[in-house]
């Protein structure tokens, strides 16, 4: 059984990941002025890393959450560039908050899960 701190961090991470994918769906599929087939391909490429890590995240494998920390740094760079763009949208601010939430929650889950596994 996992500790309550690790479980709260895991729940926060999963919720933040879902929110981040939803925000990218809104931005990519509804707010971009490109052709729909291009928007769908871009959204799939944005959501693919989360889909690849999801089975391990559901099984509470701490390594998947550690990989998520690395992957989400790319999303952080993308969000930072979008915020400094002259064509920024309000959704870019929400994406930045979601990215930071995912990173913090995943980092905390990895730490607390590793401590828990080392204890026994």
């Amino acid at each position: 059984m996992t500790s309550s701190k690790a479980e709260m961090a895991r729940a926060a991470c999963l919720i933040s990941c879902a929110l981040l994918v939803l925000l990218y769906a809104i931005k990519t599929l509804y707010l971009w002025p490109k052709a729909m087939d291009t928007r769908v391909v871009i959204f799939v490429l944005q959501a693919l890393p989360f889909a690849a890590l999801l089975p391990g995240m559901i099984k509470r494998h701490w390594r998947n959450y550690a990989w998520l920390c690395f992957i989400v740094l790319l999303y952080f760079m993308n969000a930072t560039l979008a915020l400094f763009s002259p064509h920024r949208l309000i959704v870019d601010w929400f994406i930045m908050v979601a990215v930071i939430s995912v990173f913090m929650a995943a980092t905390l889950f990895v730490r607390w899960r590793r401590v828990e596994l080392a204890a026994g």
Side-chain angles (χ1 to χ4, degrees):
M1 183 61 60
T2 57
S3 70
S4 62
K5 286 196 284 188
E7 279 303 305
M8 288 188 329
R10 179 180 171 270
C13 185
L14 291 175
I15 291 169
S16 298
C17 283
L19 179 64
L20 185 59
V21 171
L22 177 67
L23 289 169
Y24 269 113
I26 291 169
K27 180 180 179 182
T28 307
L29 298 176
Y30 296 110
L31 300 177
W32 275 11
K34 299 184 188 289
M36 183 54 127
D37 55 346
T38 304
R39 291 185 285 176
V40 169
V41 169
I42 290 172
F43 172 69
V44 167
L45 290 174
Q46 290 171 338
L48 195 59
F50 294 106
L53 292 174
L54 188 61
M57 291 171 64
I58 291 172
K59 294 177 184 174
R60 293 174 175 80
H61 294 299
W62 66 268
R63 289 184 184 192
N64 286 68
Y65 288 89
W67 274 106
L68 181 64
C69 291
F70 290 116
I71 291 170
V72 84
L73 291 176
L74 298 172
Y75 291 89
F76 179 79
M77 289 188 297
N78 185 16
T80 303
L81 289 173
L83 285 176
F84 285 98
S85 169
H87 306 291
R88 67 182 162 265
L89 303 168
I90 190 71
V91 73
D92 292 326
W93 288 101
F94 292 114
I95 288 173
M96 180 60 88
V97 170
V99 165
I100 292 169
S101 298
V102 168
F103 183 81
M104 289 174 47
T107 304
L108 290 173
F109 176 78
V110 169
R111 166 141 173 77
W112 290 329
R113 181 72 172 148
R114 294 277 319 249
V115 167
E116 173 186 284
L117 291 174

